[in-house]
Amino acid sequence: MKDLQLMKGNEALAEAAIRAGCDAYFGYPITPQSEVLEYLSREAENRTGMVVLQAESEIASINMVYGAAGTGKKVMTSSSSPGMSLMQEGISYIACAELPCLLVNVNRGGPGLGTIQPGQSDYFQSVKGGGHGDYRLIVLAPATVQEMADFVKLGFELAFQYRNPVLILTDGALGQMMEKVDLFPQQERKFEILDWALTGKVKERNHNIITSLNLKAEEMEIINIHLQKKYKEIEKNEIRYEAIDCDDADYLIVAYGLVARICTKAAHLAREKGIKVGVLRPISLFPYPYEIINKLSDQVKSILDVEMSAGQMVEDVRLAVNGKIPVKFYGRMGGVVPGPEEILKAIEEKLVGGAA
Amino acid sequence: MNEKALIDDEHFEHTLRCEHAEIISPENIVYEKPGTLLDVDMHYCPGCGHGVVHRILAEVIDEMGIQSDVIGVAPVGCSVLAYNYLNIDFSEAAHGRASAAATGIKRVLPEKYVFSYQGDGDLAAIGTGETIHTCNRGENILILFINNGIYGMTGGQMAPTTLPGMKSTTSPFGRDVATMGNPLKITELVALLPGTYYVTRQSVHKPNNVRKTKKAIQKAFELQKDNKGTCFIEIVSNCPSNWKMTPIESNHWLEENMLPYYPLGDIKLPNGRN
């Protein structure tokens, strides 16, 4: 297969999983991400020997991931919003047991069964926890089909570096749209025996146990302290963002994923009208780029947060700004994608008009 | 203490003192702790079947010489700490999800022996879906199902396998099948699925049953090499604490009440015989 392709986001992601040397994928079909399982079902096993299994439910999928990730192999799953809700139990266990794995949420409009159109209303669930207990995922938000592919490789690297689940938080539009993608070369499937993994107890070491249980409160607290320390380390090292036309900006838009691209168009339209707007796109949603937003809030007059939700990330923008300047919100819900014109209108009404 | 017992005790002491070295010589040892069983106290209640099942499982692993090739999965329930006792690589799993986790392990490490060790609440209630589908896919794993007809860990609530009329903390007047449903014979159910290869029901309440159960476990591990499907062993067991009986009473009760409903014996054999 050629490296330069015109591909759907979901297919680019699936192809990237094969090329990243992924060992196993466990999943369950749900729109708008079923192409991931479909693509892998026809492409993966013959090419690399990667295991692809359609589970009976998302609950089973994530627990298959949990089992397989415990062996130290490269394991992934993908789903969309209602399916991700079903996986939250398993994700909490995986986070506590510190298992590396890659999760993908092709977010659609909710709540409930919702729509099959794109949404960003799983931000809280993805970034703030989702399952029970104090834990964090490393969350990456692609904005292009290219990033859908690239973040698979990056996601696996981060997952193994920190022994932490990594979530690619994308949406139905990015999953379904076709774009040019330059694919990284096929990597070998290598099985490195990791000292903590379930590979069969050999004489040279004690038996390995994968568990999230510790019945003694004081010992469970020690595990929690260790996890929090790891999250601090991740916050120190893994913040990623893209700053577009921010240097001379008077106003700032903060948006992630596909919406950030639409906002960039809106910012161009604003500049044509003489309003200097920049766009800050958080790429890592955990860890969150608080510092750069805080820094930019010394420069710009006000900030507009745009999301396909009722306003979830806006809480993090407000934390970053810490009350220094007004933070306004514009959002569409239930699967509606905002257009550049309406975002321009929001800039004019909420930022320029509002700040005056 | 009566006179005879006193004499017997003295005789025993004498034997220990005089013949210790002679008796405890390697060629005379017929019974010792299996190497796969760790030298720690178990948390199980006195008289509970888990300790016996752990022991025979460890014996089979030792005798087959597969300690470095076995990976276990224990879920939520009394056996959640099974990994503290068995010296093999082990994963705990979420409640009911052990067979899914075991599927994940087996699929990426097909050359290993993988088993799940589950109670009735785990396997036949919250994990019914995972159990049925794992068996239906014919995953090449062993599912060990300990059925004591009650939720042990949480203090004696009704399980899917609780017998009609049997009292529990959530069926304090006895299980009324009209409102609480019927006991679930999940072992017969999974035996119907083409994915299962060897399905049997055993117990560990008497020495001869312990031996039969051990043979069943050994057979299941040997069959796992053939990659022909899921081996499923139900072990009807007791819960003296939550049945509120002495260990001996509980074993009698098991025989009189559990076994008529959950009859022992092979349900599905590898060669297709029932």
Side-chain angles (χ1 to χ4, degrees):
Chain A
M1 180 181 271
K2 281 185 289 185
D3 290 341
L4 193 62
Q5 293 275 318
L6 181 67
M7 286 185 111
K8 259 189 178 185
N10 287 335
E11 292 182 342
L13 180 123
E15 175 61 29
I18 299 170
R19 289 184 180 227
C22 182
D23 292 300
Y25 172 92
F26 303 97
Y28 188 76
I30 179 171
T31 310
Q33 64 79 58
S34 299
E35 293 85 355
V36 179
L37 175 58
E38 288 169 354
Y39 188 95
L40 289 172
S41 298
R42 64 175 186 263
E43 289 287 331
E45 199 185 341
N46 289 342
R47 279 172 52 191
T48 66
M50 174 182 171
V51 172
V52 180
L53 180 60
Q54 179 173 335
E56 68 271 24
S57 69
E58 287 87 350
I59 298 173
S61 307
I62 194 68
N63 284 284
M64 288 172 185
V65 169
Y66 170 84
T71 69
K73 299 260 188 178
K74 272 187 180 174
V75 188
M76 73 179 285
T77 186
S78 65
S79 191
S80 183
S81 307
M84 289 310 291
S85 294
L86 286 172
M87 290 189 183
Q88 296 307 316
E89 172 196 61
I91 294 172
S92 168
Y93 280 67
I94 289 170
C96 188
E98 297 196 85
L99 300 180
C101 64
L102 186 65
L103 316 168
V104 181
N105 180 3
V106 185
N107 195 163
R108 68 190 224 184
L113 195 53
T115 65
I116 57 168
Q117 310 301 327
Q120 290 187 318
S121 48
D122 298 352
Y123 180 88
F124 284 154
Q125 185 193 59
S126 311
V127 172
K128 307 293 182 188
H132 55 285
D134 282 316
Y135 74 89
R136 299 285 186 162
L137 308 175
I138 298 172
V139 184
L140 303 171
T144 59
V145 171
Q146 182 68 54
E147 284 184 343
M148 290 281 278
D150 292 345
F151 288 1
V152 171
K153 190 160 170 273
L154 174 65
F156 274 125
E157 284 164 8
L158 293 173
F160 277 86
Q161 186 181 343
Y162 293 100
R163 274 186 65 183
N164 205 70
V166 173
L167 173 73
I168 295 179
L169 180 62
T170 181
D171 66 65
L174 266 172
Q176 294 296 324
M177 71 192 230
M178 290 184 95
E179 277 191 301
K180 185 179 71 178
V181 53
D182 189 6
L183 292 156
F184 56 86
Q186 177 70 53
Q187 296 180 346
E188 241 182 285
R189 264 183 64 211
K190 280 186 290 193
F191 185 35
E192 196 187 336
I193 299 212
L194 301 161
D195 57 2
W196 52 265
L198 307 174
T199 49
K201 187 223 166 310
V202 282
K203 281 207 176 77
E204 298 75 45
R205 63 161 170 83
N206 291 332
H207 65 150
N208 282 338
I209 298 165
I210 302 293
T211 184
S212 59
L213 175 74
N214 204 315
L215 291 168
K216 291 178 182 146
E218 287 78 10
E219 288 175 15
M220 195 63 221
E221 189 180 42
I222 289 167
I223 292 169
N224 270 278
I225 290 166
H226 162 74
L227 289 175
Q228 295 304 319
K229 210 173 135 193
K230 178 171 82 174
Y231 302 145
K232 288 275 171 257
E233 194 66 19
I234 293 168
E235 284 178 328
K236 209 166 73 189
N237 302 331
E238 305 302 339
I239 289 170
R240 289 169 168 80
Y241 60 85
E242 186 186 8
I244 305 150
D245 297 335
C246 288
D247 290 348
D248 65 339
D250 293 327
Y251 302 96
L252 185 69
I253 297 177
V254 182
Y256 71 96
L258 178 76
V259 176
R261 285 171 72 179
I262 304 166
C263 288
T264 305
K265 173 71 180 168
H268 288 160
L269 295 175
R271 280 185 182 258
E272 282 169 16
K273 289 188 160 190
I275 312 163
K276 285 197 261 181
V277 180
V279 177
L280 192 281
R281 175 172 79 94
I283 292 172
S284 57
L285 300 179
F286 180 83
Y288 195 76
Y290 292 108
E291 208 176 304
I292 181 70
I293 296 174
N294 184 280
K295 214 169 126 196
L296 285 167
S297 64
D298 291 331
Q299 173 197 322
V300 300
K301 292 176 189 147
S302 54
I303 294 179
L304 182 69
D305 171 276
V306 184
E307 296 175 62
M308 290 191 287
S309 81
Q312 299 193 9
M313 185 181 75
V314 66
E315 294 189 4
D316 283 318
V317 178
R318 289 197 172 116
L319 273 177
V321 169
N322 202 16
K324 282 197 278 190
I325 53 167
V327 175
K328 302 294 174 75
F329 171 72
Y330 181 74
R332 298 297 299 269
M333 289 174 284
V336 179
V337 183
E341 296 290 346
E342 63 181 286
I343 296 169
L344 175 66
K345 205 171 148 203
I347 292 168
E348 289 175 324
E349 284 174 6
K350 293 183 181 240
L351 293 190
V352 183
Chain B
M1 193 180 281
N2 64 35
E3 202 175 325
K4 189 176 181 304
L6 201 63
I7 293 164
D8 283 352
D9 266 12
E10 278 175 4
H11 178 72
F12 182 64
E13 287 289 317
H14 175 78
T15 308
L16 270 186
R17 274 197 307 275
C18 303
E19 299 173 20
H20 183 272
E22 197 181 316
I23 293 170
I24 314 294
S25 56
E27 65 273 19
N28 285 340
I29 291 173
V30 291
Y31 197 72
E32 63 183 337
K33 204 178 191 79
T36 297
L37 211 55
L38 288 157
D39 198 10
V40 289
D41 294 339
M42 287 184 185
H43 73 285
Y44 300 117
C45 304
C48 165
H50 275 307
V52 180
V53 181
H54 280 22
R55 174 170 175 116
I56 55 176
L57 183 58
E59 283 178 7
V60 170
I61 292 168
D62 277 10
E63 287 162 17
M64 290 179 72
I66 56 173
Q67 188 186 12
S68 60
D69 291 315
V70 180
I71 298 172
V73 183
V76 178
C78 285
S79 59
V80 71
L81 295 171
Y83 51 69
N84 282 349
Y85 313 126
L86 291 160
N87 193 15
I88 52 172
D89 279 3
F90 230 108
S91 182
E92 167 249 359
H95 201 201
R97 321 297 175 214
S99 65
T103 297
I105 295 169
K106 184 71 181 183
R107 287 289 177 130
V108 295
L109 296 176
E111 72 284 6
K112 298 289 173 190
Y113 296 87
V114 178
F115 73 91
S116 70
Y117 187 107
Q118 302 175 255
D120 41 62
D122 189 83
L123 181 138
I126 192 167
T128 320
E130 284 81 359
T131 304
I132 299 280
H133 286 279
T134 301
C135 290
N136 198 42
R137 282 192 306 268
E139 295 295 338
N140 292 302
I141 62 167
L142 163 62
I143 296 176
L144 278 169
F145 167 39
I146 317 296
N147 176 13
N148 58 16
I150 206 160
Y151 284 28
M153 189 193 221
T154 44
Q157 295 82 11
M158 184 177 67
T161 50
T162 298
L163 297 174
M166 187 174 165
K167 287 181 179 173
S168 75
T169 59
T170 51
S171 57
F173 309 108
R175 181 178 192 153
D176 175 6
V177 294
T179 57
M180 299 165 186
N182 296 288
L184 183 60
K185 292 188 180 184
I186 195 153
T187 304
E188 277 83 351
L189 214 152
V190 300
L192 291 172
L193 304 171
T196 50
Y197 189 44
Y198 169 48
V199 181
T200 188
R201 184 184 283 122
Q202 301 294 335
S203 77
V204 290
H205 73 296
K206 282 182 173 177
N208 64 329
N209 295 98
V210 173
R211 282 194 289 275
K212 282 182 190 169
T213 305
K214 184 179 165 185
K215 271 189 186 157
I217 295 171
Q218 184 173 347
K219 182 174 177 168
F221 275 131
E222 280 165 0
L223 290 171
Q224 198 170 135
K225 278 188 274 191
D226 299 343
N227 284 334
K228 289 201 173 153
T230 312
C231 293
F232 190 101
I233 304 176
E234 174 178 340
I235 301 168
V236 181
S237 191
N238 57 348
C239 181
S241 297
N242 288 307
W243 290 0
K244 305 194 188 307
M245 293 172 195
T246 66
I248 291 171
E249 282 168 0
S250 75
N251 280 347
H252 288 311
W253 195 90
L254 180 148
E255 195 158 271
E256 284 159 20
N257 298 280
M258 294 281 279
L259 298 190
Y261 204 91
Y262 301 111
L264 302 183
D266 294 332
I267 299 168
K268 189 179 199 177
L269 287 165
N271 60 9
R273 280 190 294 118
N274 287 335

